[in-house]
Amino acid sequence: MGRLPGLTRPQRAQVLQALRPAVGLDQVVEAIAQARAARRCCPACASKCCHRHGRANGLQRYRCRQCGRTFNDLTGTPLARLRHRSKWRDYLDTMLASRPIRAAAKAVNVHRNTSFRWRHRFLHLTKLDRPSSLKGVAEADEMFLLESQKGSRKLDRPARKRGGVARRRGISRELDCILVARDRTGQTVDYVTGRGPVTTRQLHQHLRPVLDPEVLLVTDPHAAYRAFAREAGISHKTVSLRAGERVRGAIHVQNVNAYHRRFREWLARFHGVASRYLPNYLGWQWALDGGRISSAEQLLRAAIGLFHMQR
């Protein structure tokens, strides 16, 4: 942008501030159009035969030649009907920086409720971006977080002051179980299996579809893993941390435990999240882990379900 000759420094600052929303909107619209160009189709009938049909709210509209419906590039995505698109790019930058809701709201000058709504709209599809299979040596282990009904109008238990602690020691129904599996190439899947310890049925439901038939599964000696591996016909090895055995050659769960540690440290900045939103935060951490998504444009593409653009 030019230096705007003839204006004083305060005047130039005012002009640039006034132009910023238009520039931000242009960047977002261009990024959405480029991402959708190769896969644009009618959300109603999936036909690719469509033509331009004017503009509305800053977005190009299209009309389907087959069914006659009109749509834009956000129709049918979690971002449809969200306002203030000129601020999306700046907000996505705050998500890449993992800023809390109020700090992100202040940074882009929106209400905290808008910041909360945007966060979970952007993560609604991003959390589904997962590898289709784990190969070679795959480690699996659980981590547990105190269940939270933060934001709920009705609780199914007595309220706890400032999050509180579990009433029972050890693993109980007061804890959310997060199952994480990770192979040696860094491909990672995670699932919130429910409250309490993981079961064989849950392992069949979540792990079986993503484990390659030739995989070597490494876990702790939990009986549910042994039963699952035997029933699924998967090679299985264990290491017992309680017995002081951390590594036995290539047999260990160090990678998945390190992922647990990074997730706990990253999650702490939000000062407690509701259990129902845990899958969104797991997807957010996976997007950021190792710099897999490193720009606002990549995160925007993931938010509208274009995962193939990330690889």
Side-chain angles (χ1 to χ4, degrees):
M1 185 173 294
R3 298 188 60 181
L4 303 175
L7 299 181
T8 65
R9 179 173 296 181
Q11 290 173 332
R12 287 199 299 269
Q14 290 178 356
V15 172
L16 293 175
Q17 185 64 30
L19 291 176
R20 184 174 176 82
V23 173
L25 180 60
D26 288 344
Q27 291 174 335
V28 168
V29 170
E30 182 181 359
I32 293 171
Q34 289 178 353
R36 278 291 189 185
R39 298 180 58 180
R40 184 175 294 119
C41 64
C42 174
C45 67
S47 172
K48 293 187 177 182
C49 297
C50 57
H51 59 83
R52 294 175 180 268
H53 192 69
R55 299 181 69 87
N57 300 319
L59 288 175
Q60 176 67 52
R61 291 197 64 81
Y62 301 90
R63 185 179 184 88
C64 177
R65 296 179 183 273
Q66 184 166 320
C67 69
R69 300 282 184 90
T70 60
F71 61 94
N72 62 38
D73 285 328
L74 293 180
T75 303
T77 74
L79 308 188
R81 300 183 185 278
L82 286 186
R83 299 181 180 181
H84 305 300
R85 280 192 296 273
S86 62
K87 299 182 178 182
W88 284 5
R89 195 181 187 284
D90 290 338
Y91 188 80
L92 289 168
D93 285 335
T94 70
M95 292 188 66
L96 291 173
S98 302
R99 302 187 68 176
I101 285 174
R102 283 178 169 80
K106 185 177 181 179
V108 299
N109 194 27
V110 296
H111 193 273
R112 62 181 180 274
N113 291 349
T114 300
S115 176
F116 177 84
R117 181 167 58 254
W118 283 5
R119 169 181 293 184
H120 293 291
R121 289 284 191 97
F122 285 125
L123 295 174
H124 184 74
L125 292 181
T126 304
K127 68 184 177 186
L128 303 179
D129 184 13
R130 288 293 189 273
S132 58
S133 67
L134 304 181
K135 300 179 180 180
V137 179
E139 307 169 18
D141 200 4
E142 320 97 86
M143 65 177 291
F144 295 90
L145 298 175
L146 186 64
E147 67 85 21
S148 171
Q149 299 177 39
K150 184 177 181 180
S152 299
R153 294 182 180 274
K154 295 182 179 180
L155 305 181
D156 60 12
R157 53 160 174 78
R160 296 192 296 256
K161 185 176 181 180
R162 296 187 179 277
V165 296
R167 291 174 297 175
R168 299 179 182 178
R169 296 181 61 184
I171 299 173
S172 69
R173 297 284 298 174
E174 297 181 70
L175 303 177
D176 290 318
C177 177
I178 300 174
L179 172 66
V180 178
R182 184 176 174 90
D183 67 21
R184 295 293 166 81
T185 67
Q187 296 299 303
T188 306
V189 294
D190 48 56
Y191 309 95
V192 180
T193 61
R195 298 184 189 176
V198 70
T199 66
T200 304
R201 181 184 61 80
Q202 291 169 341
L203 292 175
H204 277 287
Q205 176 185 353
H206 299 298
L207 275 192
R208 187 67 188 92
V210 299
L211 292 180
D212 185 81
E214 303 300 322
V215 75
L216 171 60
L217 180 64
V218 182
T219 70
D220 60 28
H222 194 303
Y225 289 113
R226 293 199 299 267
F228 163 71
R230 182 175 61 253
E231 294 169 8
I234 291 175
S235 299
H236 180 223
K237 298 290 183 180
T238 64
V239 288
S240 177
L241 299 181
R242 288 186 178 182
E245 182 185 40
R246 292 183 175 275
V247 178
R248 191 172 68 253
I251 307 303
H252 60 79
V253 290
Q254 305 271 40
N255 290 322
V256 72
N257 286 338
Y259 192 82
H260 288 170
R261 175 182 54 78
R262 293 198 300 274
F263 179 69
R264 286 183 186 277
E265 292 175 353
W266 174 82
L267 194 67
R269 73 192 66 197
F270 302 113
H271 304 289
V273 300
S275 295
R276 59 178 172 167
Y277 292 119
L278 273 178
N280 286 0
Y281 285 89
L282 286 164
W284 188 0
Q285 164 66 2
W286 165 238
L288 299 179
D289 190 61
R292 198 178 58 85
I293 289 182
S294 57
S295 70
E297 288 74 16
Q298 287 179 315
L299 189 53
L300 180 62
R301 293 186 185 108
I304 57 179
L306 298 180
F307 306 135
H308 73 290
M309 303 290 289
Q310 315 304 320
R311 297 184 173 86

